[in-house]
Structure formats: C-alpha cells, structure tokens
Amino acid sequence: MGPTKIILREKEHFEKFYKIITGQSDNKESLTSKEATFLLQRFEERLRSWQKMFENIKTANEEDFKKYSEQWLRFMGCTKKISYPIILTQELIVNPKLINDSGEIIQPVSVAIKFYNMLAEVFHRGGVSFNVIQRMFNISENYSGLMNSLFLYKMLGYNHNETVDYYGDNFKNYHLPIRNTLDSLLFCASECMFYAVGGYSYLDNFVIEDGIDSDTYVEGLKLLRKAIDAGLGYFIFGDDLIGIVDIPKVKFNSRGEYHCAGGPAMKNILGNEAYFYNGTAVNKKIIMHPEQITVKEILSAQHPRIKEIMIERYGLGNLVEAVGYIVLDEVKVEKFVYQLLSIDIEEIAPIVVLKVTCPSTKKKYYLRVPSTYKKFQDALAWTFGIYSADLRRYFET
C-alpha cells in the first residue's frame, strides 16, 4: 500500500471517529480491530511525549506553575477565589456542591469530564477504552504518594455509586469518578486521546457544551501543559474557592520507583531536590560523587540497602581489592584463573563474589552471588540461570 492510500485510509478513520464524537453515527456502530489498534498506537505515541515532560525535573518552578494554572482557570471562566499554597479547609474537603440545581456538574469540571467522555466513546466503540484506563492507572500508581488521580480512584472503585447515579442509564465503563478534583493525568489522557482521534490535523471543531468547543478547550490545554510542566498536580474545587496543588516532578525506573543514577530524581517548584536510587532515598554524594565514597563510609553504613547502593556506586571490584578477600574456590582455564571470593564487611553473611576475566579484552569482572555458594562452577551457573553440570564440559581440562 502506497503513501497516498495510507493517508486516505487514515482520513477515513478520522472521519469515522469524528462522527462518533459528535453523535452522528449509529450508537451500535463499532470500530474494526485495525481501527482500534490504530487508535491505541497513536495514543501511546502521544503519551510518550507527556512522560518525557513529566520526568523533565529541570522545568519545575513556582512562577510558571502559578501563572499558567491561574491563566487556565480564568480562561475557563472561573471567578472563584484561587488558593495557593493550598489550605485544606472544610469548604474543600467536606461535600462541595459539584452538581447544580439543574443536575449539571459545575464548570470547569463539567467541560473537562465531557471532553474526556466524548473522546473515550471512540475508544469504547473499539473495545479499548479499558486499555487507556489501565495504562493511566499504571502511571497513577507511580504518583500515588504525591497525588490521587481519577484513574486511581476509578480502579479502586471510589465514588462508584455516586457516579453511576449521576449518569443513570447512560453510565459506561470509561466514566471516571465524579469528584471535586481535576488532575494532571486526566488532562494528559484527554490530550493524548484527542491527538489519537485526529486532533490538530484532521479533526474538525466540535461543541463540548454551551459556550465551549474543542478548539477553545484545546487552546486551554496548552496553558495546562505549561502548568503541568512546571509542577501542577491537580485542582481541587470548593463552593467558593479553587485550590491549585503542586507536586514534585519525578524520575522513575522501569519498576515505577523513584530513581536517577546521574542526578536528582525529584524536584519541587521551590527548587528543592531529592536523590533516589531504585526507590531508596540517598544523599547527594552517592549519586553525584561516587568517587568520593570511602570504604570506611561503606562499612559504617547502618541501613543494608544504603550499603548495597554504596557498594554498587563505589564499585564491587574496588571494594573487594580494598578490604581483602578469602579465595573459596578457583578454576584455571587456559591462561586464566577464575575465582570465587568471600569478603567480610560485618554483614549478617559474608559477600561472595565471582572474579572472572574476559579472554578477549583481559578485563576483570566482579559479580555478586548468593553467600551460600562455595564452588565457582555452581556460582557461575547461577549467574546464567543454568545447572552447574551444563558448565562442566567447558571447565574440563
């Protein structure tokens, strides 16, 4: 299929998405599996750019956080008093009136939720709306110590009955809990879905609710993205007050733990930084100046996990050679000697290390193994996840 045909096929997708968003399609019309896959691919593509922004901690600052958060609220027509730093008064905590006498959710919560719902309906028709919710929930778990996203509340079942009551017979599985907060992950998901259905290039303007259309709302999203980039976590809405809440910008490892091996893993809008290594808080020197770590500092570390990190940053081989060792076992292959070493640094059990040499580069490597191993071949087999007998032929001379 040539480039022209691909563009025409994509245009057909976007036209179909638009009809679903604007209610011009039959309620029973669904997406094909190819259309659903196409949607998710575009969603993920856009989400990656947001994740890079979330973890760019250098951009955290109070000035832009306040300026763009307040600009968005005024842009959306909010006239209530804005509170920052946030003070959780009774007004914000206890039963704020989110639904007016006409049964409608108050602005700007209403338009944010309606925009999300209109886009989520397209994913719902493809049977992949839960994929989006699950994806955003996974991200929200990383931030659960800093804020509670609507996606986290959704998966935990918070406010479920109230949400079902509000939507009634129109309730669908992609509807998020009705609460008095709007968080950065909701805005992120909405913008990614907008892009996925053809926003910015192929999608025509559409009405969200009286007085606000998609072009207007997306223009506001540009302000929100700048606010989030600076540290906006969420808005909390009271009857006469709106709180804007900042959260630190954070870097994560693949397991969702706070982590950065080359700098701070966390920075708040005031410029305060914190250092983490695979989820463990450490001091600045361990991350920024590992060459300054001393053997004495390693030996005196009280926290076992901190000690492990210090050893890793200092270098296991450097530690072995610095403190001395006992040779538990050794094997000679051609001109090289491979050893299983034990060092005692006052832990519950000695540290046991494989010392091996690369035949081609002659470089020495030190590999930590469980302290129960006493034979080199057994320890080496463990590092490869195989049985010791499978290595026997190689070491036979």
Side-chain angles (χ1 to χ4, degrees):
M1 184 181 293
T4 302
K5 289 186 177 181
I6 292 175
I7 293 172
L8 290 174
R9 178 62 58 85
E10 290 182 354
K11 186 178 180 181
E12 291 175 2
H13 294 340
F14 295 134
E15 289 174 349
K16 186 175 182 179
F17 300 158
Y18 181 78
K19 289 180 179 180
I20 293 173
I21 291 170
T22 56
Q24 299 177 42
S25 69
D26 187 290
N27 288 335
K28 295 182 180 179
E29 184 176 9
S30 60
L31 304 186
T32 66
S33 60
K34 287 185 178 180
E35 289 168 339
T37 300
F38 175 74
L39 259 187
L40 284 179
Q41 288 175 341
R42 284 180 62 86
F43 177 85
E44 286 291 338
E45 176 188 334
R46 192 65 171 184
L47 183 59
R48 284 191 288 272
S49 71
W50 276 83
Q51 289 181 295
K52 288 181 180 179
M53 183 193 73
F54 285 143
E55 296 195 25
N56 182 12
I57 67 174
K58 294 179 180 179
T59 57
N61 73 92
E62 185 178 25
E63 181 181 354
D64 287 346
F65 155 72
K66 289 178 62 178
K67 180 174 73 173
Y68 292 115
S69 297
E70 292 178 3
Q71 281 186 15
W72 181 76
L73 289 170
R74 299 311 180 204
F75 181 81
M76 296 303 296
C78 297
T79 57
K80 296 177 182 179
K81 179 181 177 182
I82 298 173
S83 176
Y84 169 78
I86 183 68
I87 300 174
L88 293 179
T89 62
Q90 289 293 102
E91 176 190 357
L92 290 174
I93 298 173
V94 181
N95 299 322
K97 189 177 181 180
L98 284 178
I99 301 176
N100 61 28
D101 295 335
S102 301
E104 293 292 326
I105 301 175
I106 62 171
Q107 280 269 38
V109 178
S110 62
V111 67
I113 294 299
K114 286 179 181 178
F115 184 70
Y116 167 86
N117 288 344
M118 294 173 80
L119 300 171
E121 176 66 19
V122 182
F123 287 77
H124 177 68
R125 299 285 186 93
V128 291
S129 59
F130 186 77
N131 298 61
V132 172
I133 292 174
Q134 182 66 58
R135 187 74 171 90
M136 299 309 299
F137 169 71
N138 292 341
I139 297 174
S140 71
E141 281 192 304
N142 295 344
Y143 289 92
S144 60
L146 304 173
M147 70 173 180
N148 292 322
S149 170
L150 290 177
F151 293 100
L152 183 68
Y153 284 130
K154 169 72 174 179
M155 295 297 280
L156 296 179
Y158 288 6
N159 293 87
H160 177 72
N161 292 337
E162 295 90 334
T163 305
V164 172
D165 289 343
Y166 173 76
Y167 287 106
D169 294 338
N170 295 318
F171 176 79
K172 295 183 178 179
N173 64 5
Y174 58 75
H175 285 142
L176 298 176
I178 302 299
R179 295 182 63 86
N180 68 325
T181 58
L182 294 174
D183 61 84
S184 55
L185 294 183
L186 169 68
F187 298 126
C188 164
S190 297
E191 199 274 346
C192 291
M193 289 194 295
F194 180 73
Y195 172 82
V197 299
Y200 302 113
S201 300
Y202 302 97
L203 207 64
D204 289 333
N205 189 26
F206 58 88
V207 175
I208 302 174
E209 63 179 27
D210 291 344
I212 298 183
D213 54 26
S214 59
D215 284 352
T216 301
Y217 188 75
V218 170
E219 193 65 28
L221 277 178
K222 296 177 183 178
L223 297 173
L224 276 176
R225 183 156 178 149
K226 291 178 180 179
I228 294 168
D229 192 25
L232 173 66
Y234 59 97
F235 298 100
I236 182 167
F237 298 88
D239 292 333
D240 299 304
L241 184 68
I242 302 174
I244 54 174
V245 185
D246 65 286
I247 61 171
K249 300 198 70 177
V250 187
K251 293 186 177 183
F252 300 96
N253 62 17
S254 60
R255 297 185 298 275
E257 300 168 322
Y258 300 161
H259 172 78
C260 183
M266 180 182 292
K267 181 182 177 183
N268 67 16
I269 61 173
L270 300 178
N272 300 317
E273 298 175 337
Y275 296 81
F276 288 84
Y277 196 83
N278 290 326
T280 300
V282 296
N283 63 44
K284 182 177 180 179
K285 185 169 86 169
I286 290 175
I287 298 297
M288 302 303 294
H289 302 288
E291 75 284 354
Q292 296 178 8
I293 298 173
T294 66
V295 172
K296 182 178 179 180
E297 288 174 329
I298 295 174
L299 298 179
S300 62
Q302 298 299 310
H303 195 292
R305 179 61 186 137
I306 297 293
K307 182 176 287 189
E308 287 181 8
I309 294 170
M310 293 177 75
I311 291 172
E312 181 179 343
R313 301 292 287 172
Y314 181 79
L316 180 58
N318 293 333
L319 182 67
V320 168
E321 302 299 339
V323 302
Y325 52 82
I326 298 172
V327 178
L328 299 177
D329 188 28
E330 65 180 24
V331 175
K332 294 182 180 179
V333 178
E334 297 178 353
K335 298 179 180 180
F336 301 102
V337 177
Y338 301 85
Q339 297 176 315
L340 183 66
L341 312 175
S342 174
I343 62 173
D344 186 1
I345 59 171
E346 301 178 6
E347 291 193 332
I348 296 176
I351 292 178
V352 177
V353 180
L354 282 172
K355 182 180 180 181
V356 298
T357 304
C358 175
S360 57
T361 65
K362 310 298 188 295
K363 185 177 180 179
K364 291 181 173 58
Y365 292 91
Y366 297 80
L367 310 172
R368 189 168 179 175
V369 298
S371 60
T372 53
Y373 287 106
K374 305 301 178 185
K375 294 293 184 179
F376 177 85
Q377 288 185 35
D378 295 337
L380 184 62
W382 177 85
T383 66
F384 288 108
I386 61 177
Y387 292 107
S388 179
D390 296 332
L391 288 174
R392 194 169 298 154
R393 181 178 302 177
Y394 176 77
F395 287 105
E396 287 177 351
T397 58

